[in-house]
Amino acid sequence: MEQKKIAGEKAVEYIKDGMILGLGSGSTAYYMIRKVGELVAKGMNIKAVATSKSTEKLAKELNIPLLSIDEVEKIDLDIDGVDEIDSDFNAVKGGGGALFREKMVANLAKEVIWIMDESKLVDYIGEFPLPVEILPYGYKHTLKALRDNFLNPVLRLKDGKTFVTDNGNYIADLHIGKPININNILKTLNNITGVLEVGLFINMCDRIIVGTDKGVKVIEKK
Ligand code: 5RP
């Protein structure tokens, strides 16, 4: 937890007065959001778009002024967590099920920072099951299509019931194994009706902040 905390807290140093922020989701983003709350309490002029309902709830508790995604044209800085990332900053996200909103917010951002503990840094992505958001309508057929393409989908459950995203959809976790062929996977998934979004985040991030036992490391995009 300490690694996540120092990474999350370091990221707020990149926030400037007047910015519109993207607020990520998950346990590392939690520490960042708490610090953003402190900046707001000190009088900094910040507004934010939340990437999940749980982030929205936390931001409201901390009195962080929120905007909906449709109220903004651009986001100045998006700070979010990650599930797995390689040295080219190709990442897998969606472990918490918020990939759709996280990707939409990241796409609008002029600058993206990902925060993490060092376990997230890998040589090749693919060990963490790749989350894809799928439409509930016809989901059994979507799962079959994923299986037919050898993507080993597992429908995500929570407390014994089908996990439902903030958008009312389901998640299929693809157990593909590493290394994954990013282009092939994206091409295959794009052709499966029922797949709404994929937890592969490619060419999106400008800087990562990694908490380690020796302190925090900031790594810029190559
Ligand atoms: C949610 C995500 C999160 O960003 C990711 O799961 C973060 O993980 P952690 O809780 O370890 O910071 O993609 O959909």
Side-chain angles (χ1 to χ4, degrees), residues 4 18 22 45 144:
K4 294 186 177 200
N45 172 26
K144 180 176 182 306

Side-chain angles (χ1 to χ4, degrees), residues 2-132:
E2 188 57 24
Q3 292 189 359
K4 294 186 177 200
K5 184 169 187 285
I6 58 175
E9 294 188 348
K10 175 78 181 169
V12 301
E13 291 178 16
Y14 293 86
I15 298 173
K16 298 191 186 83
D17 199 52
M19 275 187 163
I20 296 179
L21 297 177
L23 292 182
S25 299
S27 54
T28 317
Y30 165 81
Y31 294 108
M32 174 273 295
I33 297 165
R34 277 203 336 194
K35 278 278 166 195
V36 171
E38 286 177 24
L39 296 181
V40 170
K42 282 183 195 152
M44 207 182 210
N45 172 26
I46 299 165
K47 293 193 176 76
V49 177
T51 55
S52 62
K53 287 186 180 168
S54 60
T55 287
E56 189 178 317
K57 183 171 176 286
L58 178 61
K60 279 184 181 158
E61 284 164 14
L62 296 167
N63 300 314
I64 300 171
L66 288 174
L67 296 167
S68 77
I69 188 90
D70 290 317
E71 285 178 296
V72 299
E73 271 179 30
K74 278 281 162 203
I75 284 167
D76 295 299
L77 174 63
D78 176 42
I79 307 174
D80 204 346
V82 67
D83 294 304
E84 213 179 35
I85 181 165
D86 69 18
S87 57
D88 293 322
F89 292 1
N90 298 313
V92 171
K93 286 176 53 54
L99 64 127
F100 196 106
R101 295 188 186 198
E102 289 176 331
K103 194 175 269 189
M104 199 167 254
V105 169
N107 279 335
L108 289 179
K110 294 180 199 159
E111 197 181 346
V112 174
I113 297 177
W114 285 335
I115 50 181
M116 67 203 73
D117 63 67
E118 60 185 341
S119 72
K120 307 291 178 76
L121 282 176
V122 295
D123 290 334
Y124 300 101
I125 55 173
E127 195 160 307
F128 190 92
L130 174 64
V132 296

Side-chain angles (χ1 to χ4, degrees), residues 185-193 195:
I185 296 274
L186 286 174
K187 205 168 153 198
T188 304
L189 291 171
N190 280 340
N191 283 320
I192 298 180
T193 308
V195 170

